[in-house]
Amino acid sequence: MTKILFIPSTMGGGVYYYRVYTPMLDLSNRYADEFDITIDNHWKFTDAEKDEIGKNFDVVWIHNCLYTSEFQEEAWKMIVYCKKVYGTRFVLDLDDFWDYHKNHPAVDACRFNAFPEKMMINFKLFDYVTTTTEYFKGVISNYFPNEKIFVFENAISTNDVQFSGHKNPSDKLCVGLTGGSSHTEDIKQLLEFPKYLTDKQLDNIELVFCGYDVKNNEEVTIDENGNVVDTKPLDDKKNWWIQTENKFKSEVKHYRRVESKDICKGDFGKIYEGIDVLLVPLTNNQFNRCKSELKFIEAGFTQTAVVASNVIPYSNFGTNNSDCLLVKEPTPQAWAKAVKLLLRDKPLLYTITSNNAWNVKTLRNIERVTDKRAAFLRQIIQK
């Protein structure tokens, strides 16, 4: 029995769900006679805990291994100690590029906490790296041996009931956005798209804005050491998401907001019950190119059509007019053109929806990816 400890960066949210919880749950259920899995991120990496980890686990899998406190050095010390004393194998899981682009909302925190520099040290300490796409693997291979990098795609279980094909009845074509807080720059490219639709076309669509909670946002003040010294409610005039929502409300005739839902409680996937067409804008930069095709996967499992930017990773996964529409120009006119096409061409809407559903249920079901993870674990244990 191989004992595995997975240390997630957080114990909730989409990253936890797709990179930790559901993969490890499927692995423990389907390979119960081979793998004993513990998920825990409450370690302080004290001397006693270092021995506890080394004595009790054969493989330690850590997501990101980027910390904003003294735990970073303690984590590194734990890795060095356990490898030397116990021969523990350490695996680093990465789903995002570690150097944020200049317009990312958290770029200042990324630079302040020296995430790019810390990642270079991670690459010197870990034995293996796992990631989400072949493209990202190629980027990582500039810093880490290619033969020790393994791709385990984001995936959804065929038994995950929140990602069903059920759709709520509507006489409108429901066009949705589900981008989170890191996608402010990406969403800007389609802000004006309703202006390029006729009144009749606007009558026939409902814009659904969801996936990010515009409420309870705070303005945070930190000191020179990175400590939070003050928080206060963020004024609506400073809240980009509220301003964006107000803009959409003023430009479309039919608008609906869906508040953020908890994926770990089985609620997030239900957002797609009220969306027929998912808009997936993405700016072409290195950070975004290292993302996965996760929105294609969620859309496929929920029988939702995809209209996405013609940039990696989406251009590496989808085929224009076959299983999606790829928008070549990052302009509102181009996004409006795609929406118009699906409004008048219902057979095309059906085709891209059905083909993407078949693709992801075949290639991105978690059972298939779990088999790859099991093979990987057997391989590294034998060495």
Side-chain angles (χ1 to χ4, degrees):
M1 179 75 74
T2 300
K3 294 187 176 181
I4 302 165
L5 170 64
F6 205 121
I7 304 177
S9 54
T10 177
M11 292 293 286
V15 172
Y16 172 74
Y17 192 77
Y18 288 118
R19 299 307 296 172
V20 185
Y21 177 69
T22 54
M24 294 302 105
L25 178 63
D26 194 56
L27 190 65
S28 62
N29 286 341
R30 296 177 54 233
Y31 293 90
D33 58 336
E34 290 188 64
F35 306 114
D36 181 5
I37 301 169
T38 299
I39 300 173
D40 186 1
N41 76 339
H42 295 98
W43 304 95
K44 303 298 183 184
F45 303 124
T46 62
D47 288 344
E49 287 185 346
K50 291 169 188 174
D51 280 307
E52 182 181 352
I53 290 171
K55 290 178 181 178
N56 291 297
F57 300 101
D58 306 297
V59 177
V60 177
W61 215 327
I62 306 179
H63 179 259
N64 276 353
C65 196
L66 291 174
Y67 300 100
T68 59
S69 66
E70 67 276 6
F71 291 142
Q72 185 72 69
E73 289 193 8
E74 295 306 316
W76 288 335
K77 290 176 183 177
M78 179 271 295
I79 293 170
V80 172
Y81 178 79
C82 288
K83 287 176 68 172
K84 180 179 180 179
V85 176
Y86 298 100
T88 311
R89 283 83 161 174
F90 281 86
V91 184
L92 175 66
D93 186 63
L94 296 176
D95 70 316
D96 266 338
F97 190 55
W98 49 87
D99 193 356
Y100 298 174
H101 61 83
K102 64 180 181 179
N103 294 316
H104 192 290
V107 64
D108 290 339
C110 172
R111 304 289 166 77
F112 180 86
N113 290 292
F115 284 166
E117 293 77 12
K118 289 177 179 178
M119 188 58 70
M120 295 304 106
I121 297 176
N122 282 341
F123 287 143
K124 293 179 180 179
L125 297 178
F126 279 82
D127 301 301
Y128 304 93
V129 173
T130 58
T131 190
T132 53
T133 68
E134 291 293 335
Y135 178 88
F136 198 7
K137 175 182 177 179
V139 172
I140 297 169
S141 68
N142 291 318
Y143 312 94
F144 194 84
N146 184 71
E147 67 275 10
K148 293 186 177 182
I149 308 170
F150 295 80
V151 175
F152 302 128
E153 300 88 350
N154 285 327
I156 292 176
S157 171
T158 53
N159 298 317
D160 196 333
V161 295
Q162 69 178 299
F163 293 100
S164 71
H166 172 75
K167 294 295 182 184
N168 298 328
S170 175
D171 60 348
K172 312 295 182 189
L173 182 69
C174 299
V175 179
L177 280 164
T178 62
S181 58
S182 67
H183 290 286
T184 54
E185 185 68 16
D186 306 318
I187 292 174
K188 288 178 182 179
Q189 64 183 265
L190 53 75
L191 281 181
E192 305 287 338
F193 92 89
K195 291 183 178 180
Y196 298 94
L197 301 178
T198 66
D199 286 343
K200 183 177 180 180
Q201 289 164 342
L202 287 172
D203 274 334
N204 289 322
I205 71 166
E206 179 181 45
L207 183 63
V208 187
F209 194 63
C210 54
Y212 184 77
D213 191 352
V214 298
K215 299 179 180 179
N216 304 317
N217 286 278
E218 294 180 329
E219 188 172 1
V220 179
T221 303
I222 62 174
D223 62 20
E224 60 184 9
N225 296 316
N227 300 311
V228 176
V229 295
D230 184 47
T231 60
K232 60 182 179 181
L234 183 63
D235 187 277
D236 286 356
K237 294 180 180 179
K238 295 182 180 180
N239 190 321
W240 185 88
W241 288 88
I242 287 181
Q243 298 305 310
T244 299
E245 180 173 53
N246 289 339
K247 183 174 182 59
F248 280 137
K249 284 181 178 179
S250 69
E251 294 179 352
V252 300
K253 296 185 177 182
H254 309 285
Y255 177 86
R256 177 163 47 92
R257 150 153 281 284
V258 179
E259 298 299 336
S260 298
K261 296 183 181 295
D262 192 333
I263 192 170
C264 295
K265 293 180 179 179
D267 295 329
F268 173 78
K270 296 176 183 178
I271 285 175
Y272 289 96
E273 294 180 1
I275 299 175
D276 303 309
V277 178
L278 182 67
L279 303 183
V280 194
L282 204 64
T283 308
N284 191 8
N285 57 54
Q286 182 71 304
F287 179 85
N288 282 343
R289 288 191 294 271
C290 291
K291 285 186 168 294
S292 79
E293 61 281 348
L294 180 58
K295 290 304 172 185
F296 273 74
I297 301 169
E298 291 177 350
F301 271 85
T302 57
Q303 296 291 325
T304 306
V306 175
V307 179
S309 295
N310 188 31
V311 300
I312 297 170
Y314 305 140
S315 58
N316 280 352
F317 186 79
T319 302
N320 191 38
N321 290 320
S322 175
D323 52 24
C324 65
L325 292 185
L326 294 175
V327 178
K328 295 181 180 180
E329 300 294 333
T331 64
Q333 296 94 323
W335 287 94
K337 182 179 179 180
V339 172
K340 289 178 181 179
L341 177 58
L342 294 182
L343 272 171
R344 69 173 182 265
D345 194 338
K346 292 300 188 287
L348 177 62
L349 175 62
Y350 175 81
T351 295
I352 65 173
T353 302
S354 300
N355 286 347
N356 183 52
W358 187 90
N359 286 343
V360 300
K361 290 177 182 179
T362 302
L363 301 174
R364 296 294 184 268
N365 67 77
I366 204 167
E367 294 80 8
R368 176 179 178 275
V369 182
T370 295
D371 292 341
K372 293 170 61 177
R373 281 189 171 92
F376 161 73
L377 288 167
R378 294 190 197 104
Q379 177 181 335
I380 68 173
I381 286 298
Q382 292 171 358
K383 292 186 176 181

